[in-house]
Short mmCIF file of all heavy atoms in Angstrom, two decimals:
data_model
loop_
_atom_site.label_atom_id
_atom_site.label_comp_id
_atom_site.label_asym_id
_atom_site.label_seq_id
_atom_site.Cartn_x
_atom_site.Cartn_y
_atom_site.Cartn_z
N VAL E 101 -33.22 34.19 -28.41
CA VAL E 101 -34.54 34.58 -28.88
C VAL E 101 -35.58 33.78 -28.08
O VAL E 101 -35.24 32.76 -27.49
CB VAL E 101 -34.77 34.31 -30.41
CG1 VAL E 101 -33.88 35.21 -31.22
CG2 VAL E 101 -34.59 32.88 -30.76
N ILE E 102 -36.79 34.30 -28.04
CA ILE E 102 -37.90 33.54 -27.44
C ILE E 102 -38.77 33.08 -28.58
O ILE E 102 -39.06 33.85 -29.53
CB ILE E 102 -38.70 34.48 -26.47
CG1 ILE E 102 -37.80 34.82 -25.28
CG2 ILE E 102 -39.97 33.76 -26.01
CD1 ILE E 102 -38.41 35.83 -24.32
N VAL E 103 -39.13 31.84 -28.55
CA VAL E 103 -40.00 31.26 -29.54
C VAL E 103 -41.32 30.81 -28.91
O VAL E 103 -41.32 30.06 -27.92
CB VAL E 103 -39.36 30.03 -30.21
CG1 VAL E 103 -40.26 29.37 -31.23
CG2 VAL E 103 -38.02 30.47 -30.88
N ARG E 104 -42.43 31.33 -29.43
CA ARG E 104 -43.73 30.92 -28.98
C ARG E 104 -44.15 29.77 -29.90
O ARG E 104 -44.29 29.92 -31.13
CB ARG E 104 -44.77 32.01 -29.04
CG ARG E 104 -46.09 31.53 -28.39
CD ARG E 104 -47.20 32.57 -28.45
NE ARG E 104 -46.82 33.89 -28.07
CZ ARG E 104 -46.78 34.36 -26.81
NH1 ARG E 104 -47.02 33.53 -25.78
NH2 ARG E 104 -46.44 35.60 -26.57
N VAL E 105 -44.36 28.60 -29.30
CA VAL E 105 -44.80 27.41 -30.05
C VAL E 105 -46.34 27.43 -29.95
O VAL E 105 -46.93 27.72 -28.94
CB VAL E 105 -44.22 26.13 -29.39
CG1 VAL E 105 -44.88 24.90 -29.93
CG2 VAL E 105 -42.72 26.08 -29.59
N MET E 106 -47.00 27.11 -31.11
CA MET E 106 -48.44 27.06 -31.21
C MET E 106 -49.11 28.39 -30.78
O MET E 106 -49.98 28.41 -29.93
CB MET E 106 -49.05 25.89 -30.41
CG MET E 106 -48.84 24.56 -31.03
SD MET E 106 -49.75 24.46 -32.61
CE MET E 106 -48.55 23.67 -33.63
N PRO E 107 -48.69 29.53 -31.40
CA PRO E 107 -49.28 30.80 -31.04
C PRO E 107 -50.73 30.84 -31.38
O PRO E 107 -51.22 30.16 -32.28
CB PRO E 107 -48.45 31.82 -31.90
CG PRO E 107 -47.92 31.01 -32.97
CD PRO E 107 -47.70 29.62 -32.51
N CYS E 108 -51.49 31.70 -30.65
CA CYS E 108 -52.93 31.89 -30.90
C CYS E 108 -53.22 32.33 -32.33
O CYS E 108 -54.25 32.02 -32.89
CB CYS E 108 -53.52 32.90 -29.94
SG CYS E 108 -53.49 32.40 -28.20
N SER E 109 -52.28 33.09 -32.90
CA SER E 109 -52.47 33.64 -34.25
C SER E 109 -52.38 32.55 -35.35
O SER E 109 -52.67 32.86 -36.51
CB SER E 109 -51.46 34.71 -34.51
OG SER E 109 -50.14 34.22 -34.41
N GLY E 110 -52.01 31.36 -35.04
CA GLY E 110 -51.89 30.28 -35.98
C GLY E 110 -50.44 29.98 -36.32
O GLY E 110 -49.51 30.61 -35.84
N GLY E 111 -50.25 28.94 -37.05
CA GLY E 111 -48.88 28.49 -37.39
C GLY E 111 -48.27 27.70 -36.27
O GLY E 111 -48.89 27.49 -35.20
N ASN E 112 -47.04 27.23 -36.50
CA ASN E 112 -46.35 26.41 -35.54
C ASN E 112 -45.56 27.26 -34.52
O ASN E 112 -45.50 26.95 -33.35
CB ASN E 112 -45.39 25.43 -36.19
CG ASN E 112 -46.12 24.26 -36.81
OD1 ASN E 112 -47.31 24.07 -36.58
ND2 ASN E 112 -45.45 23.47 -37.57
N ILE E 113 -44.86 28.30 -35.04
CA ILE E 113 -44.01 29.09 -34.15
C ILE E 113 -44.08 30.57 -34.47
O ILE E 113 -44.45 30.98 -35.58
CB ILE E 113 -42.53 28.65 -34.23
CG1 ILE E 113 -41.97 28.82 -35.65
CG2 ILE E 113 -42.33 27.22 -33.75
CD1 ILE E 113 -40.47 28.65 -35.77
N GLU E 114 -43.69 31.37 -33.52
CA GLU E 114 -43.55 32.77 -33.62
C GLU E 114 -42.22 33.19 -32.92
O GLU E 114 -42.07 32.83 -31.75
CB GLU E 114 -44.74 33.53 -33.01
CG GLU E 114 -44.59 35.03 -32.86
CD GLU E 114 -45.68 35.62 -32.00
OE1 GLU E 114 -46.42 34.88 -31.29
OE2 GLU E 114 -45.82 36.82 -32.01
N VAL E 115 -41.29 33.84 -33.62
CA VAL E 115 -40.02 34.20 -33.02
C VAL E 115 -40.12 35.64 -32.47
O VAL E 115 -40.54 36.55 -33.18
CB VAL E 115 -38.86 34.08 -34.03
CG1 VAL E 115 -37.53 34.49 -33.41
CG2 VAL E 115 -38.80 32.66 -34.60
N ILE E 116 -39.70 35.78 -31.23
CA ILE E 116 -39.77 37.09 -30.56
C ILE E 116 -38.33 37.52 -30.23
O ILE E 116 -37.59 36.77 -29.58
CB ILE E 116 -40.58 36.97 -29.25
CG1 ILE E 116 -42.04 36.49 -29.56
CG2 ILE E 116 -40.63 38.34 -28.49
CD1 ILE E 116 -42.78 36.03 -28.36
N THR E 117 -37.98 38.70 -30.74
CA THR E 117 -36.59 39.11 -30.56
C THR E 117 -36.45 40.37 -29.66
O THR E 117 -35.35 40.69 -29.22
CB THR E 117 -35.92 39.45 -31.93
OG1 THR E 117 -36.69 40.42 -32.60
CG2 THR E 117 -35.84 38.22 -32.80
N ASN E 118 -37.55 41.07 -29.43
CA ASN E 118 -37.50 42.30 -28.63
C ASN E 118 -37.97 42.01 -27.20
O ASN E 118 -39.15 42.07 -26.89
CB ASN E 118 -38.37 43.37 -29.30
CG ASN E 118 -38.27 44.70 -28.63
OD1 ASN E 118 -37.33 44.97 -27.95
ND2 ASN E 118 -39.30 45.51 -28.83
N PHE E 119 -37.03 41.74 -26.30
CA PHE E 119 -37.35 41.45 -24.90
C PHE E 119 -36.18 41.70 -24.04
O PHE E 119 -35.06 41.89 -24.54
CB PHE E 119 -37.81 39.96 -24.75
CG PHE E 119 -36.71 39.00 -25.20
CD1 PHE E 119 -35.77 38.57 -24.29
CD2 PHE E 119 -36.68 38.55 -26.48
CE1 PHE E 119 -34.74 37.75 -24.70
CE2 PHE E 119 -35.65 37.66 -26.92
CZ PHE E 119 -34.70 37.27 -26.00
N GLU E 120 -36.39 41.72 -22.73
CA GLU E 120 -35.32 41.87 -21.78
C GLU E 120 -35.54 41.04 -20.54
O GLU E 120 -36.68 41.01 -20.00
CB GLU E 120 -35.20 43.34 -21.31
CG GLU E 120 -34.78 44.28 -22.41
CD GLU E 120 -34.65 45.70 -21.90
OE1 GLU E 120 -34.33 45.88 -20.70
OE2 GLU E 120 -34.87 46.64 -22.67
N ASP E 121 -34.55 40.34 -20.06
CA ASP E 121 -34.58 39.62 -18.79
C ASP E 121 -35.82 38.83 -18.53
O ASP E 121 -36.46 38.97 -17.51
CB ASP E 121 -34.33 40.57 -17.63
CG ASP E 121 -32.96 41.26 -17.74
OD1 ASP E 121 -32.03 40.62 -18.28
OD2 ASP E 121 -32.83 42.42 -17.33
N CYS E 122 -36.23 38.01 -19.49
CA CYS E 122 -37.45 37.20 -19.34
C CYS E 122 -37.17 35.84 -18.75
O CYS E 122 -36.04 35.39 -18.78
CB CYS E 122 -38.11 37.06 -20.73
SG CYS E 122 -38.59 38.60 -21.50
N LEU E 123 -38.20 35.25 -18.30
CA LEU E 123 -38.16 33.85 -17.79
C LEU E 123 -39.17 33.06 -18.62
O LEU E 123 -40.37 33.38 -18.59
CB LEU E 123 -38.51 33.79 -16.32
CG LEU E 123 -37.63 34.61 -15.35
CD1 LEU E 123 -38.18 34.53 -13.94
CD2 LEU E 123 -36.16 34.16 -15.41
N VAL E 124 -38.71 32.03 -19.33
CA VAL E 124 -39.60 31.18 -20.12
C VAL E 124 -39.11 29.74 -20.00
O VAL E 124 -38.16 29.46 -19.29
CB VAL E 124 -39.65 31.64 -21.61
CG1 VAL E 124 -40.17 33.05 -21.72
CG2 VAL E 124 -38.32 31.50 -22.31
N HIS E 125 -39.79 28.82 -20.67
CA HIS E 125 -39.43 27.40 -20.58
C HIS E 125 -38.15 27.01 -21.34
O HIS E 125 -37.75 27.73 -22.25
CB HIS E 125 -40.62 26.55 -21.11
CG HIS E 125 -41.82 26.66 -20.22
ND1 HIS E 125 -42.94 25.84 -20.42
CD2 HIS E 125 -42.15 27.48 -19.18
CE1 HIS E 125 -43.85 26.11 -19.53
NE2 HIS E 125 -43.44 27.16 -18.79
N ALA E 126 -37.66 25.87 -21.02
CA ALA E 126 -36.48 25.34 -21.72
C ALA E 126 -36.88 24.00 -22.35
O ALA E 126 -37.53 23.18 -21.70
CB ALA E 126 -35.30 25.15 -20.78
N LEU E 127 -36.42 23.73 -23.53
CA LEU E 127 -36.54 22.45 -24.21
C LEU E 127 -35.21 22.12 -24.79
O LEU E 127 -34.70 22.84 -25.67
CB LEU E 127 -37.64 22.50 -25.31
CG LEU E 127 -38.17 21.15 -25.72
CD1 LEU E 127 -39.60 21.25 -26.18
CD2 LEU E 127 -37.33 20.50 -26.76
#
Side-chain angles (χ1 to χ4, degrees):
V101 295
I102 294 174
V103 177
R104 186 183 314 278
V105 169
M106 285 294 138
C108 294
S109 59
N112 284 350
I113 62 169
E114 169 190 14
V115 178
I116 302 165
T117 58
N118 185 21
F119 60 86
E120 294 182 30
D121 299 328
C122 298
L123 302 175
V124 301
H125 293 190
L127 199 150

